[in-house]
Amino acid sequence: MRAKQMPSSILTRSKSPVILLFAVTILALSFFFFFLFSPSSTTTTTAAVAVPYRYPSVRPETSFVASLEHFLAHKAPKIPASSDDTVGSVIDHDVRRLDERKFVKEMEWLRGDPYYPMSMPVRVYVYEMPSKFTYDLLWLFWNTYRETSNLTSNGSPVHRLIEQHSIDYWLWADLIAPESERLLKNVVRVVKQEEADLFYVPFFTTISFFLLEKQQCKALYREALKWVTDQPAWKRSEGRDHIFPIHHPWSFKSVRRYVKNAIWLLPDMDSTGNWYKPGQVSLEKDLILPYVPNVDLCDAKCLLESESKRTALLFFRGRLKRNAGGKIRAKIGAELTGAKDVVIEEGTAGEGGKAAAQKGMRRSIFCLSPAGDTPSSARLFDAIVSGCIPVIISDELELPFEGILDYRKMAVFISSTDAVQPGWILRYLTSISSTQIREMRRNLAEMAGKLVNIKLHTRRSQRVVKESRSVCTCDCRRSNSTHSNPIN
């Protein structure tokens, strides 16, 4: 790629990977909690706990289809062209000029605020890409989503898969909304590249993968790659401060190797190597974001009403035959089928399957969440929003923000080795006391009702970030080798 040929003297002041990862974590973490958990009531009251919630007066829309309909009808045609400084063709001088402007701006912030960058919001520059990468793909989904006959090779509804990997839509729609309508108040959009901490690439890689013909999709991937890598900001950092939504493990696959320096938004790390090549993904630079739940949110009123209806001990509905780590599903299914107070159902993610899963989860204490074709599964987040304690059986799973959130307070983790032992799962679950169950369900309710306070995480990270900042301040004109990519 052309960025690889830029002289090292140009690539001089890319931000420390520590600061970049911290900034993108704030961006994604804020959105994760507001979207995934947004009950309509202001207070959750159950037999176990009363949890106060703080939300805007207007409840945000959490249905992808409903939100997209409103967006395309009322937002997309009316979004004015901003004073975006994206350029079409770049020469070395453009990169040097951006680097100088960015250096001046950062020194201005640093001298003016002793707590920079901690005291400032995350500043995101959103590329205004041609509509074939953005609006056209959203319209393609909208015009075809009722075609339920459109299935993957294993029978899963394509449009349902797109919905559960639609984190790219929710992030982008919020970032480009007028400031008065935005949910993420600690993240601001900037229109000058020198003011940005991060650069968001709004290309819908999952929609294009599933709804375009194979060769058409690959051609669009190549066009998007060239468009992005031709930008001066990309050339300046070789993509290290750029965010790419690659949330489905099949998306953007043919050109991923050219953007391996960028920050990827992923469903999991898949350390087995089945979906990502070695060196492409890393916890040092990438972020794991949740699936968008397939079922409706069980809000405060629902949680209260479902309390006495949870008569099943354990529930699972889904495909029992999967690949890779998901092969354990068939063994677990054979072991548990027919057991007392256990519901194991084979099913898909269509409308009928959604209704059955939602009903079953709201009537169960525990919900089984084994690995699928990848270590992660949307089922985990379906269980959380249903108030059903997840039972996670996936040895290679990396969870969203698990360095900040203690999932063990609201979920049960069982190793694959233990899970296949005859009777082990049921013995373990029945040994959990009613007091422990109430505590875990209270933690589920609390997690579903708050925006996480990341001040403790900020304090833990502050020393490292300050050290990185000091290095930059003292010798900010050094060669970019100081900020080498940790996965190269």
Side-chain angles (χ1 to χ4, degrees):
M1 303 307 294
R2 287 177 59 189
K4 296 292 186 183
Q5 300 168 0
M6 300 299 292
S8 60
S9 59
I10 293 177
L11 306 171
T12 57
R13 288 183 286 268
S14 296
K15 237 174 205 166
S16 162
V18 175
I19 297 177
L20 289 179
L21 189 60
F22 178 66
V24 77
T25 298
I26 294 176
L27 166 66
L29 185 61
S30 302
F31 181 81
F32 166 48
F33 276 95
F34 205 102
F35 171 73
L36 188 60
F37 311 117
S38 52
S40 57
S41 175
T42 57
T43 304
T44 292
T45 304
T46 67
V49 65
V51 182
Y53 292 139
R54 295 181 178 89
Y55 295 106
S57 56
V58 179
R59 182 188 181 187
E61 179 60 68
T62 56
S63 163
F64 174 63
V65 172
S67 175
L68 182 60
E69 179 181 22
H70 184 267
F71 178 82
L72 292 175
H74 302 286
K75 302 286 184 178
K78 297 180 182 180
I79 293 178
S82 67
S83 55
D84 187 289
D85 58 0
T86 298
V87 294
S89 60
V90 182
I91 58 177
D92 292 359
H93 175 69
D94 296 316
V95 184
R96 290 192 180 93
R97 188 170 58 179
L98 172 61
D99 189 58
E100 291 299 327
R101 293 201 311 265
K102 193 162 181 63
F103 172 70
V104 169
K105 181 62 69 174
E106 289 184 350
M107 290 301 101
E108 175 185 314
W109 286 329
L110 186 59
R111 294 185 182 111
D113 186 347
Y115 295 102
Y116 169 78
M118 297 311 214
S119 60
M120 300 186 70
V122 177
R123 299 173 300 273
V124 181
Y125 180 94
V126 183
Y127 281 119
E128 292 192 359
M129 300 183 74
S131 62
K132 62 183 174 181
F133 303 121
T134 55
Y135 296 108
D136 291 357
L137 292 172
L138 293 178
W139 278 112
L140 177 61
F141 175 92
W142 178 253
N143 292 329
T144 60
Y145 86 94
R146 293 183 179 88
E147 297 176 6
T148 54
S149 59
N150 192 353
L151 305 174
T152 65
S153 58
N154 63 15
S156 299
V158 163
H159 290 80
R160 182 71 68 190
L161 285 175
I162 292 173
E163 287 184 53
Q164 71 184 33
H165 291 281
S166 63
I167 200 77
D168 48 7
Y169 163 76
W170 294 102
L171 277 171
W172 182 61
D174 184 70
L175 284 169
I176 66 174
E179 195 61 33
S180 60
E181 300 177 11
R182 295 195 56 238
L183 302 180
L184 308 184
K185 300 303 183 183
N186 59 347
V187 177
V188 297
R189 182 187 181 188
V190 296
V191 295
K192 294 183 178 180
Q193 294 189 2
E194 64 265 25
E195 296 180 354
D197 299 306
L198 300 163
F199 295 78
Y200 187 78
V201 181
F203 177 39
F204 294 107
T205 59
T206 300
I207 294 179
S208 50
F209 175 80
F210 280 113
L211 298 186
L212 297 179
E213 295 295 332
K214 184 176 181 179
Q215 295 307 316
Q216 185 184 11
C217 175
K218 286 186 174 182
L220 193 65
Y221 282 175
R222 290 192 295 269
E223 289 181 53
L225 175 70
K226 185 179 187 307
W227 192 96
V228 173
T229 56
D230 273 350
Q231 302 306 315
W234 178 277
K235 293 181 179 299
R236 175 182 177 272
S237 67
E238 293 187 334
R240 291 179 177 86
D241 50 7
H242 282 55
I243 302 173
F244 261 92
I246 308 179
H247 202 260
H248 192 281
W250 293 343
S251 62
F252 220 50
K253 198 170 184 178
S254 58
V255 295
R256 284 177 185 169
R257 62 188 181 275
Y258 300 114
V259 297
K260 69 175 185 177
N261 289 342
I263 301 162
W264 294 9
L265 305 183
L266 303 166
D268 57 51
M269 282 289 131
D270 184 34
S271 58
T272 62
N274 291 319
W275 302 103
Y276 306 110
K277 300 291 185 183
Q280 286 186 344
V281 296
S282 165
L283 286 172
E284 294 178 308
K285 73 175 186 70
D286 302 318
L287 272 184
I288 300 171
L289 293 186
Y291 293 78
V292 174
N294 289 315
V295 301
D296 298 331
L297 178 71
C298 186
D299 61 13
K301 183 173 181 288
C302 167
L303 288 172
L304 181 61
E305 293 175 346
S306 68
E307 193 73 27
S308 61
K309 298 177 182 178
R310 296 184 183 271
T311 54
L313 174 68
L314 181 64
F315 175 81
F316 173 85
R317 179 180 173 83
R319 292 190 173 275
L320 293 173
K321 185 178 181 181
R322 306 305 280 176
N323 299 313
K327 292 179 180 179
I328 195 174
R329 285 191 186 186
K331 297 178 182 179
I332 296 173
E335 168 66 23
L336 294 176
T337 298
K340 182 182 178 182
D341 297 330
V342 174
V343 179
I344 303 293
E345 298 176 346
E346 181 83 24
T348 62
E351 281 302 321
K354 171 186 173 180
Q358 180 169 296
K359 180 179 178 181
M361 286 185 169
R362 293 183 181 185
R363 293 187 175 184
S364 304
I365 299 171
F366 297 100
C367 286
L368 194 63
S369 181
D373 290 340
T374 64
S376 63
S377 167
R379 189 169 290 98
L380 167 62
F381 305 100
D382 291 347
I384 292 174
V385 300
S386 299
C388 187
I389 300 171
V391 178
I392 299 172
I393 305 174
S394 181
D395 297 342
E396 302 295 330
L397 180 62
E398 294 281 352
L399 292 163
F401 313 111
E402 66 177 72
I404 301 172
L405 306 176
D406 189 352
Y407 285 88
R408 294 186 181 277
K409 290 183 177 180
M410 63 163 200
V412 174
F413 289 80
I414 297 177
S415 71
S416 298
T417 302
D418 289 335
V420 296
Q421 299 301 315
W424 201 98
I425 293 177
L426 293 184
R427 285 197 303 271
Y428 184 76
L429 294 182
T430 54
S431 72
I432 300 175
S433 69
S434 57
T435 301
Q436 290 174 297
I437 290 173
R438 285 195 299 271
E439 177 71 17
M440 296 180 81
R441 295 203 62 226
R442 179 167 66 244
N443 292 333
L444 273 179
E446 288 178 349
M447 186 176 180
K450 68 182 180 181
L451 293 173
V452 130
N453 183 341
I454 60 172
K455 289 183 180 177
L456 290 177
H457 178 65
T458 301
R459 293 192 191 105
R460 288 199 301 270
S461 303
Q462 194 165 10
R463 179 179 57 82
V464 179
V465 174
K466 281 185 175 180
E467 289 173 359
S468 299
R469 188 180 70 202
S470 298
V471 171
C472 179
T473 305
C474 296
D475 197 7
C476 54
R477 293 184 180 273
R478 275 189 289 176
S479 167
N480 192 57
S481 61
T482 305
H483 305 293
S484 60
N485 179 24
I487 67 165
N488 275 350

